[in-house]
Amino acid sequence: MCPAKVVDGVTRGFVIPIGGAEERKSDPAILKRFVELSGGKAAVIVIIPTASKLADTGANYEQVFLELGAHQAVSLAISSRDDAARADYLELLQQATGIFITGGNQLRLSTIIGGTPVAQAIRKLNAGGVHVAGTSAGAAIMPEHMIAGGPTGALPNEQGVTFAPGLGLINKVLLDQHFSQRNRLGRLLSAVSYNPFASGLGICEDTAAFIGPDDMLEVVGSGSITVVDPSGLKHSSMADARIGEAITLIGLTLHMLSSGAKFDLNTREAFPK
Amino acid sequence: MCPAKVVDGVTRGFVIPIGGAEERKSDPAILKRFVELSGGKAAVIVIIPTASKLADTGANYEQVFLELGAHQAVSLAISSRDDAARADYLELLQQATGIFITGGNQLRLSTIIGGTPVAQAIRKLNAGGVHVAGTSAGAAIMPEHMIAGGPTGALPNEQGVTFAPGLGLINKVLLDQHFSQRNRLGRLLSAVSYNPFASGLGICEDTAAFIGPDDMLEVVGSGSITVVDPSGLKHSSMADARIGEAITLIGLTLHMLSSGAKFDLNTREAFPK
């Protein structure tokens, strides 16, 4: 799904995929910046804890965002598709200046909220200027094409990644999270090479991509983002590879970006801090 | 150390780093090609088992090369610097059409043979047309700058690699072995970014780079070689990074090369099978 249409004169909100395990106490740079962006003391953060099966995930984040100075933080207890159509939840979403999607299992998230009024509302609100952050599974679901799974390892292969349709807040990148921690370069390379139209972002834990309405991405956090840009790809053996066979990919561009570095999703240029 | 000078009218031998754990029985594509290159039925393979502390490493490879049809295969029991000056060993080396350096510990190998008559002989023989293959530690020691150690992981960092001077058979590449199996992209990126003059080769197990006298590399084996070419590097934060800090590297070129693919060490162009 493509991002929802932005009405003339309106600026789209930021889309902020986080690689999981973001710092919440000692130096919560990412969440702090998200709250500030969402209005600081005036911020109303609505939390979607659906990816998690833990009962206290939503409440924990409410606490974190209030400690970071948000005016209000409320978690929507959506654990079924019916929940994702509740009028009171949709009303709360309309108050949001920032929406936060927690971690857990991205297929749980996509199967429960995919195509529901809540998903439609998140898409429209983002197009209307509301910032949407998501961590781990909550980051995975953001693109048009969501990485749902795949084997670990550094090498691409013919069965190297499983896709599912995502929320479609962004469609110029594919992304994977817990990137270095879970050794996921191989599945990002597989994803990028299945159809080399989009850049791949490998986002480390405690690291976020703040993607602005101008499609400029800025790295925030203690880790790094690995960018694989396949726009110069000259040859790929992906289509001809047998199961388990090593893959040839010629002409990828690779950037390692740490805090403050930027990447323009349109021109695919990277910039240092 | 630079490669030894090639005399006019003579063609340098191949340099063949192998990523370790090469197949020796069922489909020994790499070792078979090495024996064929070294003369097949006329091949005289001299084995340097010094990196290994196991007593039977040399004898095992003698057996393998004889089974692959070599005329002669002899292992030199070099386990001290004195051994590496023995006249009988130097005489045997002069008979070699192919030299094979086994795996083990590359620092053991470099501390024992570095600067000895055996090391000098290997360099001169290679310049004179004798092919030199090495697996794991035996591959690590081949370049001018040898990767001696470093942490595992996908990300470069300021203390991400330890170098030691190598044998200097090749000086246009840095290389690491057991590459995907031991998750070594981070230390290859660190190595390449310390001084971005050379391309980095990450060689998987059961995979070899057959580097010809024309500096054309061909991949042989069941895995792949990850090539990181820093010649287009536009920015590196390596010099300014504090210990443990994430690194920014902008503008690397990345190729994944499987069996039959080639890479020209001079032009840094990659070619599919």
Side-chain angles (χ1 to χ4, degrees), chain A residues 246-261:
Chain A
I247 300 291
T248 294
L249 299 172
I250 292 177
L252 297 164
T253 300
L254 178 71
H255 310 298
M256 316 293 300
L257 304 180
S258 60
S259 186

Side-chain angles (χ1 to χ4, degrees), chain B residues 224-246:
Chain B
S224 67
I225 296 183
T226 298
V227 178
V228 179
D229 169 12
S231 57
L233 191 71
K234 287 179 186 157
H235 173 86
S236 166
S237 69
M238 186 55 88
D240 305 316
R242 286 165 300 181
I243 293 175
E245 195 176 47

Side-chain angles (χ1 to χ4, degrees), chain A residues 23 95 98 100 110 134 136 148 163 179-180 185 197-198 225 227 236 257:
Chain A
E23 186 54 52
Q95 315 303 316
F100 187 85
S110 63
S136 188
F163 275 121
F179 189 67
S180 65
L185 178 63
F197 83 103
I225 295 182
V227 178
S236 166
L257 304 180

Side-chain angles (χ1 to χ4, degrees), chain B residues 161-172:
Chain B
V161 70
T162 314
F163 275 121
L167 201 50
L169 300 179
I170 39 177
N171 63 351
K172 290 171 183 164

Side-chain angles (χ1 to χ4, degrees), chain B residues 172-187:
Chain B
K172 290 171 183 164
V173 289
L174 307 172
L175 64 86
D176 214 341
Q177 5 78 35
H178 301 284
F179 189 68
S180 65
Q181 289 80 8
R182 298 190 188 171
N183 196 11
R184 288 176 167 174
L185 179 64
R187 74 185 207 181

Side-chain angles (χ1 to χ4, degrees), chain A residues 123-165:
Chain A
R123 288 168 44 76
K124 276 191 191 157
L125 287 163
N126 183 237
V130 175
H131 310 298
V132 182
T135 188
S136 188
I141 202 175
M142 291 177 155
E144 186 174 18
H145 302 279
M146 167 176 107
I147 294 182
T152 36
L155 304 179
N157 73 70
E158 173 266 354
Q159 299 191 321
V161 70
T162 314
F163 275 121

